[in-house]
Each structure stands twice: as C-alpha cells, then as structure tokens.
Amino acid sequence: MSQIHVKTIINGDASEFLCAADETLLDVLRDRLDLTGSKEGCASGDCGACSVTMDGRLVCACLVLGAEADGTEITTIEGMATGENLHPLQQAFLDHAALQCGICTPGFLVAAKSLLERNPDPTEEETRYWLAGNLCRCTGYDKIVRAVLDAAKIMRETA
Amino acid sequence: MVTVRLWGSLAELVDGKREIEITATNLRELLEGLGEAYPALKPQISRGVSVAIDGRIYNDTWATPINETSEVVLLNRLVGG
Amino acid sequence: MQFQSPLSVEDAVAFLADDQNARILSGGTDLLVRLRLGHIAPSKIVDIKKIEGMRSITREDGGFRIGAAVSGAEMNENHDLYLAWPGVVEAAGLIGSTQIQGRATIVGNLCNAGPAADSVPALVAASATARIAGPSGVRDVLVQDIPIAPGQTSLKIGELVTSIFLPAQPVNGSDAYLRFIPRTEMDIAVVGCGVSLKLDSAGTVVQARVALGAVAPTVLLVENAAEILIGTQLDDDALSALAEASSSVANPIDDKRGTIAFRKDVSGVLTCRAAKIAYSRAKGTVK
Amino acid sequence: MPKDEFTPRTFSVVGTRPLRPDGIDKVTGRARYGADISAPGMLTGMVLRSPHAHARICSIDTSVAAAMPGVKAVITRADFPVHPENNGTADVLDNCMADKKALYDGHAVAAVAASSRRAALDALATIKVVYEVLPHVLDVDEAMKLDAPILHKGRKQEGVPADVSDNVLTRTEYGHGDPEIGFQMADLVIERQFKTAATHQGYIEPHSCLATLGSDGQGDLWVCTQGHYMARNTCAEILGLDSGCLRVTPSEIGGGFGGKTTVFLEPTALLLSQKSGRPVKMTMTREEVFRASGPTASTSIDIKIGMTKDGTITAAKGDYRYQNGAYEAMNGTLGAMTGFAPYDLDHVKTVGWDVVTNRPKAAAYRAPGAPMAAFAVESVIDELAYKLGLDPIEVRLKNAAREGTKSAYGPTYPAIGLEATLKAAKSHPHWSAPLGENQGRGVACGFWFNFGGDTCVSLMVNPDGTVSLSEGNPDIGGSRAAMSMMAAEELGIPMERVRTIIADTAALGQNEVTDGSRVTFAVGLATIKAARHAIQIMVERAAMTWGIDPEAVEWVDGAAQPAGPNAGKHPPMSLAEIAAIASNTGGPISGHFEVNAEGAGVSFGTHIADTEVDPETGAVKIIRYTVFQDAGKAVHPSFVEGQLQGGAVQGIGWALNEEYIYGKDGTLQNAGFLDYRIPVASDLPMIDTAILEIPNPGHPYGVRGVGETGIVPPLAAVANSVSRAAGVRMTSLPMSPPKVLAALKKM
C-alpha cells in the first residue's frame, strides 16, 4: 500500500507526514506525530475524546482520514495553552474539579473552546447540547458544565 | 468461648445451627478452630470468609483480638468495585 | 486501498465507474465507522470535497441547491435556508453530535440508505430532488426514489449525488421535523417525521406532505395525510385522524432501538407534534 | 476489640479544595494513559474472538497467519504454559483465552502480534477456528432450570439444591427471625418481581497495555488498571513467572468503576512479547470492551415486605437471582446481603443465587450487586408507603438502621449515618418543592460495605524540606491530591510541599486493588501513619540537636519544639530545618507504613429524584436530583461531590437506558456507545449534593469511603419517581421509553 504525503499546519506549526489511505487523523496524531492528548475512546464518533478542530470546525479526529488533512489547519489539545499559560477553560476545569480520571478532558476542552468561540455567553442548556457528543463517565457532567459557564464569564470579562 | 453467628446457608452445613461456640482469642484461632470443629465449613473457609467483629469487618488479620463478649458474625468474603 | 480527491465531477464519475469497489467520501461519518469495524473494505476512497460546488449552498429558482459535501453545521449557519426550510435544517442538525455536524452531510445521510436517516423524511416532505451525475450524464430524481432498501439506493454504477435541490418555499408555507430518541442526543431515530404545509391566507391547509422515517425499510410518505389535512386548520379531529393515518401506515420492526407497538404509537404522536409546529411556522406565528 | 483510630481535631488542609497536582497534565493532554506510550520495536497485538455465544472449539489452525509478513507471534490457549491451581485465577486465564469451549460472544480464542495494526488484522482473518456451536443461555431464570444448557460441570458449591441446574454455583442465605410470623402482623403485604438488565461500567478509556517479557522471565508491563499489584500477581500466576521478576507500572487510568480490577489482555500481551522477542502493545476496541470486558449482573429478584398502617416494617423476604456471565462471581450474594441493610428488621430472610450464563465474565461494578437489590427493596417500600398514605422518608426513618441495630446480614452496627442522610433529605428544599404535571418525586436509600486491605505508603523527607510520598494505588479520582493533603495536615506543612506519586510494583510492597472505596480510607490511614513515623524520626533528630530526650520534644505546626518547661529553651526546628541537617544527624529521613487496613466503616446514602414522564411517548426526563451521603470526613469536598454526582448519573443511566441487548443467536447487538446509551450532558440537570460528616471511628480523621454508595440508591430513586409520575409501578430496568409507554397503556 503506497503512502500518501500530507502537508498540514498543526497547532500553528507546519507539519508533514506520510500515511496510509485507511489511517485516520487520530491514528496519525497519536501514532505518527506523538500527539497523544487526543484519545481514542470509541473510534466511531460517539465519545468525543478525540475532538480537534479542522479549519476551525470541531470534528472527531477518528472520523477524518489522515489524507483529508492535506492543506488544512488542525488544532488539538496540545495547542490550547500558550506556553506555561493555561487557557481560561483549562484553568476553570482545574478550579472546578471538573475532571476525575481525565481521559475525556482534552476532548471536552477542545469542544468547549469551539463553543465559546461561536457563542461567548451560552446558556446551561446550550452548553449541555453542544457537549452532548463528549462522553464523561466520572463526573455526571455537573462540574464540567459549571466550569465551561464560569470560563465563559471570565473570558467575557477579560475580553 | 466465643459465639459465632453463621449465615443461613452455612448453618445448613452444621445441622441447622445458626450459632456455634468456639474457643478463640483472635481471628486466626477462630478460623482454624471453626474448620477443625466443623469440617463441613472448611470448603467455604478456604474459599474465603469475612468476619464481622463488633460490627467491623475483617478478612485476614490473624491477630485481630476477639473477646468472649465480642459479637462475631461470619460473612461471605466481600469484594468491591 | 487508494485515496483519490478528484477536482471535477467527471473525474469522480470516472473513478467510480472504473472500480465497483470504490466508495465516496464526503463527511465520512458513516464511511469511516464501517471501515474501522471492517464491515467494508473498499479498494478506493474518492473524496469529493475538493470538487467545485460540492461545499456551497446557492440560490436557484427561488429555492436552494445544497452541494453534496455541505455539512449540517454549514446548513445551520445559512440563515436564509433556515427561514425557508427550518424543518430540513433541523433534521440535518439532529444527525449526531456537534462534532458529527462539522462533517456529516444530508447527501451522505440519504445515500447510506439507512431507514432511520434523519434528514430524509424532512427532504421528502419538502419535495426535494437529488441531482445525480454519472457516466451517462446528469439527471434529477425525487429524494424519495433514492433509497430502495436498507443500505441500497437506486444509483447506478458510477453515479453519485452531487447536490440536493430544495424548491422555493411558497408564501404561507413551512415545515418541521421531529424524531424520537431514548436520550436527548447521540441516538439514531426510533421514529422520525417530516411535515411540510402550505396554508391559505385564512390559515387553512392547502398543501401537505408527511413523511416517516425508521418505521419501514425506506422512508414512507403518508399518502393520505394531504387528504386529511387539506381544508382544515389542524383542529383536533384532523390531528387525531392524522395520528391514526400515520400509525397505521408505519410498518416497523422490533429491534434494539424500539418495539413495533412503540414505533407505531409514536409515529402518530410525532406526526401531530410536527404538524403543529409546521402549521404555526406557516402561519408566521413561530419563526 | 478493634481500637478506635479517630480523634476529634481541627483541620487546616483537610476539608479545603486545593487544585489537583496531576491537573495540568490532564488539561494539557500530557497525562499518559494506557495507550499513550510506545516502545522501540513495538508490535501491535490483537485478539480473535468467538462469534458464538457457546461453542466447542474443535480446532484452531494458525499456520497461515504465522507465515504472513509482519506477523511475529501467534498464540492460542495451548501456548499458555501452566494451569493455575486457584479456581479464581484459572477462571481469569480461561476468560483471557478460551480453552475447550468459547463461553460467550467475544470470548478470546487466539491472538497475534504483528508489525502493524493492519498486518495483525489481516493475520487474524486467516486463522481458521472450527466450532461446534452449542445451545446457549443468557437469562438467569432460564439458566437455573434443570434442562438449561450447562456451561461448566461440577462447579456447584455445597448448599446449592439439586433442583436447580449446574449453572447455579452458589446459594447463600442471610437473615434472622421468622418472616412468616412477621407477615401475619402486617396490615399490608406487597410481593413483586423485579428485573434489571446487565450494564457496563462504561469507562471511556479502553483496556490497554504495553508488555515486554524476555525468555529469562524478566518483564515489564505498563497498563491501565485499578490494581497493578493484582495485575502482576495474576499474570505471574497465569504465566508461571516469579512475581518479583515482573515489574508493573500503572498508567493514568481513564475510568474503571470496578471494571479494571482484573486482567483481560495483559497475560496475552506478555506471552506474545515473550514469543516474538519484542515489546507488544494491545488496546481493546470499544466493541471489544463491550463484548469481552466487565458487564455487571442482570437480575431477577422477588421481594416481599409487610408493613403496619403506621409504617413499621414487620417482615421482609428477598430472593435475589443474579447471572454473572460465564464464570463465578458473587453479585447475587452481595445483593442478598445489602438489599435490606438500611433497615432495622425483626424478621428478615434473603437468599442470593449466583448463576453462570453465556455472557462476558462479570467484573465488579461500583458497589457490585447492591444497586439492583436496592432497586427492588426500595421500590416495594415506596409502594407500601404510597398505598398506606405515608411519607416515604418518614417510613424509612421509622425503620432506619442505627447504632445497635442488628443488620439484615448479621452484624450489629456501630455508629452509622443513615438517619442523618434521611433527616437531611427531609429538611432539604428539594423534598418540599412543588411538582408540575406528569412529574413525580422518588426517594431511596442505599448501603455499601467499604473495604480496607493491604496498603503501603512511603514518605520521604527531601533535603530542601519538601516531601515525596509513594503510594501503590492508581489514582482514579484525585487520590494523589487527597494523600498530599493528609500528609501535609499531619506534618504541618503546606499541601504544595508534598508530591504524591503512584509507585510501580518494584518500588513499594503489596497493595490491594483500588476498589471497595478503600483508597482515601486505607491509603489515607497509611499516609497519616507514615507521616507520624517520619515525625517521630524528626523529633529524635531535633532532640539530638538540642541534646535533650526525645520524649521532651513535641511536633506542633510543622516544627519540633521542646515540650514543657523541663525540656529547656530551644527555638522550634521546622521540618525544613531538620531536613537540611539530616546528613549531620544520622542520614536521610523517611517514614513508612504497611498495614492490612481492616475494619472500614459501612456507608449509607439517600437520594431524591424528580422526573417528568411524557405520557404520549414514555420518555423520562430527570428534572432535579439531590444526593445525601455520609462521607465520615470529606478530605477534598469537590472530589467527594464528584464521586456522588458520578455515581448518581451512572445509576440514572442504569435506570433509564443502559442495557446489554442480545440477539436470538446470543450475540451482543449494541457493542458501542451509539446503542449502549450512557447519559450525555443534555440528558441531565445539575446533580446537587449534601455531604454529611459522621466520623468513621476506624480512621484517624474519621474518613469513610465514598466512591461506591452513590450508585446504590439511584435505580430505585428514579424508578420510584417515574412510578409516581406515570401512576404505574415500574418493575423492570431499564425504564426505556417503549417499556414506560407499554406500562402506561396497560393502566
């Protein structure tokens, strides 16, 4: 099977890789580029643990082929903090104890960031529906939703 | 002598006795004494039991003291998640 | 397996005609799942997203032409489209999570030919047509004629759907789509219902189309819905007759998602609820 | 008599809400879970699984696979070197790799290690297994019948009667008094049968490990597990290795809930590594997780309770029939022990049955066996209260177990917190809030034992006055933070000065699995004792420095200071000061503590659920939910709240939509998150919590385990709420919309 040459920008850095036609973007991120922050919880788009943005659009990396990433811009959890400065959402997740085991956390953060970029002042209901594709089995979502709403408030106040 | 309370299906193995008496001052003596005095209980004891002593549950610690007035209850060996 | 991303419809048709084991990739939200589970082993993946027009929504004859690679999220962000066909947009918007919405397309939803596809009853109620390109040229067919059995379409070898056309929404016309799922999100429809209505200026129904999903091998048009609704203002008698008609036309199966009895009952319930929403939208009381 | 450990005190660190020390790694994606690590030369291991629910394995031909390019090892059960003597371990091995029979859809029959996932998949496709398909049985009541297909012969334990099939492995009876006398005294007796479906723990991280094993028996295993010592001991026993030669390092763990208290892939990965001479990584797909790991029991339960007009329970009987999948487990026994545990009963008898069926081997799931029992018992109590026109909380208060109550499973309770949770629920605004149309309110209690077990902690005082703490239990919900807090509290230094790590199996002695809500209790106890050990050494060093007797030195606010006027006048020596001169006063300072922490306190909770039922579709919406639970002492209240919220939501999922669905052929129909419907964010309201603190006498700070009890009441609380909203008693879980609508139509 011949490999496909793909050029992308990942977290702001130009990135090139070779991949097979059936490799997903998630496979590429985790196994070829060592970006293991995106998690594989289901490989079917049902859990959201591999959430990334592709050209600004929230997607599951497990449902994108590596080859499709050619010419796109990808952002993963690894691109969320700026140096040692956490994104307000990351800080809010810590402040609210919005994670227990933490496996779903990268996906929630990427998805929540995408929400706040489109809707800086979401209601609780809007937040819950936006995040319905991100499964968490530890928290019951309570503290996650509170953290997102609180981060939104902080971001509005400091914007 | 210590009075040991058995669960229902264990009692069936010792002629229906729900309580049996045994000489023991700690958990080790209790478990060994039970097996010797009542061989029918041995298979369950070797599979494992928990012992409630005065309302608290013990599994293994041989030296756990037992008084004559202690309430001693045999339980299935407990597991958790 | 090969990966191709043609830049023209002609090239895409050529790839597909050339290789019967080729698969079209648009949003990929079904294709990649089946690929991963080993349910399919295509020899070629043809990504159509780089073909011009595939990712755009354009006005045409007062209606809308929606490219085959337009995602649910992109439909939802098109305000004019939503105003004209809120039911279709909402149906597309119900397919999967926010993440799925970023990729999934109504053409993919249609061409997978799943009985429970959310957008299909809404498109059928809206009298939408699909434009098909193939080795022998381009043709337009009604959406309801595309799925012929679970997983099977009327498309011929080498053909692909390049766009969906939603006709102009008449004055005093609107639509609605509702589905039933056990959770609030992330499920496949147990019953889906699309309703499209046109009223006269007095609020009396003059045109009606009702379609059901997930209650038969393919999307069902409730044939006598028009007969029941036309001439009424959706009074209680009309609604109960509609519910009855909808429940009796439903021909579902028992499976992991619901029982026959449940699906028949809920078909009637959802049809009435969707009809009421479409009615108030058409009357202009709800936008 | 066990001695009380608890002494009342004020806390400066315990009870606060500091940020978790592993937090930044987890919010930046740096934290390394099971599948996040690679090794040079690593192969991918994959498993071939039975497509049949029950089949004799006639032959397995792996020759084509073994010869394929990129394939470095192929194994079947014949390659496993030993047959473990211990029945439990033999079952674990058989579950990891089938022997003569495949016992469920998804049972492993062969495995390969290859240079890529694709090569491994292609190799699996060439393995030819000849099966003789046998009749299968999935339902517990069916499996108990004498003419049922039999999974194992000769495993019936003493006490199991002859009139049930060999699938029944155990029958256990608990109780006291004579229920038949008690029922005579009742004004109303209700007897009902209940059913619950099998559910899965649903952790988001699939099982994963990376194994290296040499021909000399020296090995390393990186694995996501609730117990790396368990993984080491089990793998060593299965593979005939010296456990000391196998070092197991736990990854960060992406959820477990009991499902990661055993091994599935690990022995196979080690064996593949040994055969191939290369590191082997194995990760389950989500489909494999559902088909081959951890569900809990499905059940069929009969409950009969008698009550007088004033709400006194006069007698109670329960028959708890649980299927545990293809191997022995004790969920039914635990159901029989826990169902009536919240109540003070004169006449009670419960029988538990543990039965095997052609389903995956049940793994523990958060308070194993208890939620289903509570669903059945609490439903009947609710119905009695409803029919007698009594307040359901008052009825429970009237019958509540308290200190001195002889429990339904035998022992007499010490101080317990059930009454406190009921009183808190009764006075909470939720209980008196108005309800709307089609809405109902349900309440239920729950009980769980909690455990302790083998525990080791080492606490090192570093030269700069910081502290390194090693513990041996994977951190599943913030336990590193809790340990740092307890060590800091005891040492009198800021929490940030204590860093806790999870040590590998070679760095610390044996530790029991992270289960039974034991970690904050048992590891906390050992942490406090290890800190006290270090303090004792630091006191000696200060005494030596001052030239006084160690008995004349005490530890106050993080410093040694002379105790009393006779000790002489010396300025206090802080921990950092003592640490700085450790080399001069005898060498490095560390404390440690090893214990089998037994005598953990039992735990109770009460939940209130409000639901709204759509009368036309049977859809149920959770409107409001509040949890009341006794935590003994909440070390980090946010994490305790998180445990209560998470437990409640898992229970809500169990109550409403989660279930293992099988086809007629015995194959699992919903092995994925699409159709195995765990609650999503939009399904739920906020989950309110009220933490009560009734100190556990068995812990120095009064800490009680909190992890499991939270899943016990919700099945019943939601069912009682739905039953009241719908006006019809729901007796079968999940209360999926088709079931609720069918019940409404029958009214």
Side-chain angles (χ1 to χ4, degrees):
Chain A
M1 200 186 306
S2 65
Q3 304 243 314
I4 300 156
H5 180 198
V6 177
K7 292 184 184 179
T8 63
I9 295 172
I10 300 181
N11 299 328
D13 296 330
S15 178
E16 290 185 43
F17 56 84
L18 292 174
C19 69
D22 65 348
E23 269 181 77
T24 65
L25 176 60
L26 182 60
D27 294 334
V28 169
L29 291 172
R30 291 181 54 84
D31 299 338
R32 294 191 183 267
L33 304 177
D34 286 331
L35 293 169
T36 55
S38 306
K39 306 300 179 189
E40 180 171 311
C42 68
S44 56
D46 295 310
C47 80
C50 65
S51 295
V52 300
T53 59
M54 185 168 164
D55 289 335
R57 186 73 75 182
L58 183 68
V59 297
C60 287
C62 72
L63 293 186
V64 177
L65 288 177
E68 287 181 84
D70 193 41
T72 68
E73 248 186 81
I74 309 287
T75 309
T76 71
I77 183 65
E78 285 91 347
M80 196 156 172
T82 310
E84 63 174 358
N85 299 316
L86 297 180
H87 186 280
L89 274 162
Q90 292 173 309
Q91 189 59 47
F93 269 55
L94 295 179
D95 292 341
H96 285 265
L99 54 142
Q100 283 178 35
C101 82
I103 193 86
C104 69
T105 308
F108 267 100
L109 286 166
V110 170
K113 181 164 174 267
S114 169
L115 166 66
L116 300 187
E117 281 165 4
R118 281 167 178 73
N119 181 356
D121 190 10
T123 63
E124 181 190 331
E125 191 181 21
E126 285 167 344
T127 304
R128 287 183 178 276
Y129 273 89
W130 183 275
L131 296 174
N134 291 84
L135 298 182
C136 170
R137 194 60 159 170
C138 293
T139 65
Y141 304 104
D142 182 300
K143 293 183 188 300
I144 292 175
V145 174
R146 287 178 201 278
V148 173
L149 295 174
D150 194 36
K153 185 162 171 278
I154 290 165
M155 288 165 71
R156 287 195 305 277
E157 284 165 0
T158 55
Chain B
M1 294 290 270
V2 180
T3 304
V4 182
R5 207 181 303 146
L6 305 179
W7 71 80
S9 32
L10 272 195
E12 291 162 12
L13 302 174
V14 291
D15 304 326
K17 280 185 267 190
R18 293 300 295 259
E19 291 187 345
I20 52 183
E21 302 225 313
I22 204 98
T23 307
T25 63
N26 61 35
L27 186 62
R28 181 185 192 179
E29 291 172 11
L30 176 82
L31 294 176
E32 287 183 353
L34 279 174
E36 278 162 26
Y38 300 94
L41 298 181
K42 261 194 178 167
Q44 181 61 46
I45 289 172
S46 64
R47 277 195 298 268
V49 292
S50 294
V51 183
I53 302 171
D54 293 318
R56 290 203 212 149
I57 296 167
Y58 298 82
N59 288 337
D60 308 302
T61 308
W62 283 350
T64 309
I66 302 175
N67 298 331
E68 296 220 339
T69 56
S70 293
E71 180 200 54
V72 179
V73 184
L74 237 50
L75 304 172
N76 279 88
R77 177 82 171 205
L78 298 168
V79 297
Chain C
M1 195 175 94
Q2 284 187 319
F3 179 85
Q4 302 288 353
S5 46
L7 301 175
S8 70
V9 172
E10 293 69 31
D11 286 352
V13 168
F15 282 130
L16 294 169
D18 183 48
D19 182 352
Q20 291 190 32
N21 201 20
R23 293 278 176 152
I24 299 166
L25 169 65
S26 182
T29 52
D30 282 303
L31 183 78
L32 266 69
V33 175
R34 284 192 265 168
L35 205 58
R36 193 65 165 199
L37 286 172
H39 294 174
I40 52 168
S43 49
K44 192 181 287 170
I45 297 278
V46 182
D47 182 359
I48 60 169
K49 287 193 290 295
K50 292 195 174 157
I51 300 173
E52 200 187 333
M54 288 288 183
R55 303 199 69 168
S56 56
I57 301 172
T58 49
R59 297 305 301 250
E60 186 179 313
D61 295 340
F64 295 84
R65 185 161 292 284
I66 301 165
V70 171
S71 70
E74 286 161 347
M75 286 176 66
N76 200 41
E77 288 161 10
N78 188 312
H79 192 60
D80 290 343
L81 178 64
Y82 181 78
L83 285 181
W85 293 103
V88 170
V89 172
E90 283 169 357
L94 286 172
I95 305 166
S97 61
T98 315
Q99 287 86 339
I100 301 295
Q101 281 292 302
R103 299 261 295 164
T105 68
I106 52 172
V107 169
N109 201 221
L110 173 64
C111 292
N112 283 315
D118 278 307
S119 65
V120 177
L123 290 171
V124 169
S127 303
T129 53
R131 177 155 293 170
I132 297 169
S136 49
V138 171
R139 62 194 176 105
D140 288 339
V141 301
L142 281 171
V143 160
Q144 70 222 52
D145 294 331
I146 301 267
I148 53 171
Q152 283 180 45
T153 67
S154 56
L155 295 184
K156 301 189 186 78
I157 290 164
E159 286 190 330
L160 75 158
V161 174
T162 56
S163 64
I164 296 286
F165 178 69
L166 281 167
Q169 180 66 269
V171 178
N172 296 330
S174 194
D175 71 334
Y177 175 80
L178 289 177
R179 68 169 181 187
F180 185 85
I181 54 172
R183 292 179 290 189
T184 52
E185 267 286 358
M186 301 305 290
D187 288 327
I188 302 289
V190 180
V191 178
C193 179
V195 176
S196 175
L197 297 177
K198 179 181 176 339
L199 315 180
D200 65 14
S201 54
T204 302
V205 177
V206 294
Q207 266 179 37
R209 269 170 81 85
V210 174
L212 293 172
V215 292
T218 58
V219 61
L220 276 185
L221 197 60
V222 183
E223 304 278 2
N224 52 347
E227 193 183 315
I228 292 166
L229 295 180
I230 288 171
T232 77
Q233 299 198 348
L234 233 59
D235 51 89
D236 288 350
D237 287 348
L239 284 171
S240 58
L242 181 65
E244 178 74 38
S246 195
S247 288
S248 61
V249 75
N251 178 27
I253 55 166
D254 274 325
D255 71 0
K256 60 192 171 188
R257 292 169 187 151
T259 60
I260 291 170
F262 180 78
R263 284 181 155 126
K264 284 181 86 75
D265 281 341
V266 172
S267 296
V269 172
L270 285 194
T271 305
C272 290
R273 291 181 181 179
K276 284 191 214 171
I277 296 169
Y279 185 80
S280 46
R281 281 175 175 163
K283 261 184 111 175
T285 50
V286 171
K287 268 296 168 197
Chain D
M1 274 291 287
K3 69 175 194 307
D4 278 353
E5 296 277 357
F6 175 71
T7 359
R9 56 176 292 168
T10 55
F11 294 102
S12 53
V13 182
V14 165
T16 63
R17 302 176 187 237
L19 300 190
R20 56 192 295 162
D22 52 321
I24 289 181
D25 280 352
K26 287 183 174 165
V27 298
T28 55
R30 289 204 302 255
R32 291 189 301 177
Y33 292 83
D36 294 342
I37 198 165
S38 305
M42 181 177 88
L43 302 174
T44 299
M46 297 193 89
V47 175
L48 184 69
R49 298 184 181 277
S50 167
H52 305 295
H54 195 190
R56 198 174 313 286
I57 299 169
C58 304
S59 65
I60 305 179
D61 180 357
T62 61
S63 56
V64 176
M68 286 172 72
V71 174
K72 306 297 179 189
V74 186
I75 60 168
T76 66
R77 178 62 177 273
D79 295 288
F80 282 81
V82 288
H83 184 82
E85 281 171 26
N86 177 300
N87 255 344
T89 314
D91 280 356
V92 171
L93 165 59
D94 206 61
N95 190 47
C96 288
M97 193 62 74
D99 190 7
K100 306 263 188 303
K101 289 205 293 183
L103 294 171
Y104 56 91
D105 166 37
H107 199 165
V109 295
V112 303
S115 53
S116 69
R117 181 178 169 276
R118 174 48 56 197
L121 278 173
D122 290 346
L124 288 182
T126 69
I127 296 175
K128 291 189 193 69
V129 186
V130 179
Y131 294 101
E132 177 197 344
V133 178
L134 303 170
H136 64 272
V137 62
L138 301 167
D139 176 77
V140 63
D141 291 324
E142 291 300 317
M144 291 175 77
K145 291 178 181 166
L146 283 172
D147 59 354
I150 300 299
L151 276 79
H152 314 278
K153 289 217 165 68
R155 294 282 300 264
K156 248 188 191 182
Q157 291 176 7
E158 64 283 355
V160 178
D163 63 355
V164 294
S165 81
D166 270 17
N167 292 325
V168 182
L169 302 193
T170 65
R171 175 188 175 279
T172 319
E173 189 188 311
Y174 280 90
H176 53 256
D178 183 348
E180 297 317 316
I181 295 172
F183 288 128
Q184 299 287 320
M185 303 182 326
D187 293 312
L188 180 61
V189 177
I190 289 180
E191 182 170 15
R192 278 199 182 272
Q193 184 169 99
F194 297 87
K195 303 260 188 188
T196 67
T199 57
H200 194 278
Q201 296 83 350
Y203 32 82
I204 307 301
E205 183 198 25
H207 298 271
S208 185
C209 66
L210 172 62
T212 312
L213 181 62
S215 53
D216 58 356
Q218 302 269 335
D220 280 280
L221 182 67
W222 161 270
V223 57
C224 74
T225 178
Q226 286 177 251
H228 45 304
Y229 294 86
M230 171 281 300
R232 177 192 67 176
N233 300 349
T234 309
C235 289
E237 203 178 335
I238 283 174
L239 297 171
L241 303 172
D242 293 338
S243 68
C245 292
L246 179 60
R247 183 176 67 159
V248 183
T249 307
S251 69
E252 292 294 339
I253 176 169
F257 316 108
K260 291 176 182 168
T261 57
T262 184
V263 296
F264 297 99
L265 299 172
E266 296 85 339
T268 300
L270 284 162
L271 193 54
L272 285 169
S273 172
Q274 193 171 44
K275 298 256 177 220
S276 63
R278 305 260 291 265
V280 173
K281 180 158 145 184
M282 297 186 78
T283 304
M284 279 195 191
T285 63
R286 178 54 54 183
E287 185 188 5
E288 287 179 292
V289 171
F290 279 114
R291 282 173 77 204
S293 81
T296 188
S298 66
T299 73
S300 173
I301 301 171
D302 297 324
I303 296 294
K304 183 177 178 183
I305 301 176
M307 193 177 274
T308 58
K309 281 178 186 154
D310 72 345
T312 305
I313 298 174
T314 59
K317 264 177 80 170
D319 195 65
Y320 302 85
R321 300 174 298 279
Y322 285 41
Q323 69 73 26
N324 296 308
Y327 301 91
E328 185 182 344
M330 59 178 300
N331 287 301
T333 302
L334 291 167
M337 294 173 81
T338 57
F340 291 115
Y343 300 107
D344 184 355
L345 305 170
D346 290 336
H347 302 288
V348 56
K349 183 181 168 187
T350 66
V351 178
W353 305 84
D354 282 302
V355 181
V356 291
T357 62
N358 295 109
R359 294 169 179 249
K361 183 183 198 296
Y365 181 17
R366 210 167 194 162
M372 314 79 139
F375 160 60
V377 168
E378 297 289 314
S379 289
V380 174
I381 291 177
D382 190 69
E383 190 174 356
L384 284 162
Y386 183 76
K387 289 194 168 152
L388 291 169
L390 301 167
D391 178 286
I393 292 186
E394 283 301 330
V395 163
R396 286 173 172 84
L397 271 170
K398 196 172 191 68
N399 297 286
R402 23 182 86 79
E403 184 169 2
T405 294
K406 183 179 177 181
S407 67
Y409 61 93
T412 303
Y413 287 122
I416 52 172
L418 173 63
E419 214 174 352
T421 66
L422 280 163
K423 284 181 175 161
K426 177 95 184 163
S427 59
H428 193 277
H430 185 170
W431 187 243
S432 46
L435 285 167
E437 206 184 338
N438 298 318
Q439 295 182 352
R441 177 165 298 143
V443 65
C445 297
F447 160 87
W448 185 243
F449 294 102
N450 291 346
F451 304 119
D454 284 334
T455 307
C456 299
V457 167
S458 281
L459 182 153
M460 284 69 73
V461 178
N462 302 317
D464 65 351
T466 60
V467 170
S468 299
L469 187 83
S470 292
E471 55 137 319
N473 279 89
D475 178 352
I476 207 158
S479 59
R480 275 167 293 195
M483 297 315 140
S484 291
M485 290 172 76
M486 284 186 268
E489 184 75 55
E490 200 64 27
L491 294 168
I493 59 175
M495 183 246 192
E496 295 70 32
R497 307 276 286 174
V498 185
R499 176 159 188 197
T500 300
I501 62 123
I502 314 300
D504 66 48
T505 54
L508 209 56
Q510 171 77 19
N511 282 274
E512 175 57 63
V513 174
T514 295
D515 72 354
S517 308
R518 73 173 217 94
V519 171
T520 313
F521 165 73
V523 184
L525 181 139
T527 295
I528 293 163
K529 298 290 182 81
R532 288 178 184 172
H533 181 211
I535 287 169
Q536 183 199 330
I537 296 167
M538 290 188 284
V539 162
E540 286 166 8
R541 301 292 176 88
M544 182 203 287
T545 311
W546 292 329
I548 64 172
D549 198 67
E551 273 74 61
V553 179
E554 59 184 1
W555 190 263
V556 181
D557 293 336
Q561 62 181 45
N566 297 337
K569 272 193 122 28
H570 303 283
M573 280 182 81
S574 70
L575 182 146
E577 287 166 332
I578 296 169
I581 56 165
S583 298
N584 310 102
T585 58
I589 297 167
S590 65
H592 61 96
F593 194 74
E594 296 77 27
V595 67
N596 182 349
E598 304 212 280
V602 298
S603 164
F604 292 90
T606 297
H607 292 199
I608 307 175
D610 291 358
T611 61
E612 183 172 315
V613 175
D614 181 337
E616 291 185 315
T617 65
V620 175
K621 186 171 171 54
I622 305 284
I623 302 296
R624 187 171 180 182
Y625 202 99
T626 311
V627 178
F628 304 85
Q629 191 174 315
D630 172 20
K633 174 69 198 173
V635 176
H636 191 304
S638 297
F639 295 169
V640 173
E641 289 160 7
Q643 289 294 322
L644 306 191
Q645 291 163 337
V649 168
Q650 281 186 320
I652 288 169
W654 199 334
L656 293 183
N657 279 309
E658 293 181 34
E659 61 179 317
Y660 263 49
I661 302 170
Y662 282 91
K664 284 200 170 64
D665 61 354
T667 61
L668 186 60
Q669 303 294 297
N670 59 335
F673 278 135
L674 183 61
D675 285 304
Y676 184 86
R677 304 179 189 101
I678 78 170
V680 300
S682 50
D683 292 343
L684 297 160
M686 294 296 185
I687 307 292
D688 292 330
T689 59
I691 301 169
L692 306 175
E693 296 189 324
I694 295 118
N696 176 8
H699 186 279
Y701 295 170
V703 169
R704 223 179 266 284
V706 296
E708 289 170 290
T709 305
I711 201 174
V712 183
L715 283 60
V718 174
N720 291 340
S721 170
V722 171
S723 296
R724 286 171 182 253
V728 55
R729 183 56 52 181
M730 298 303 300
T731 58
S732 172
L733 300 187
M735 293 176 285
S736 54
K739 262 190 222 168
V740 175
L741 190 62
L744 284 165
K745 296 231 158 202
K746 259 195 219 154
M747 275 168 70

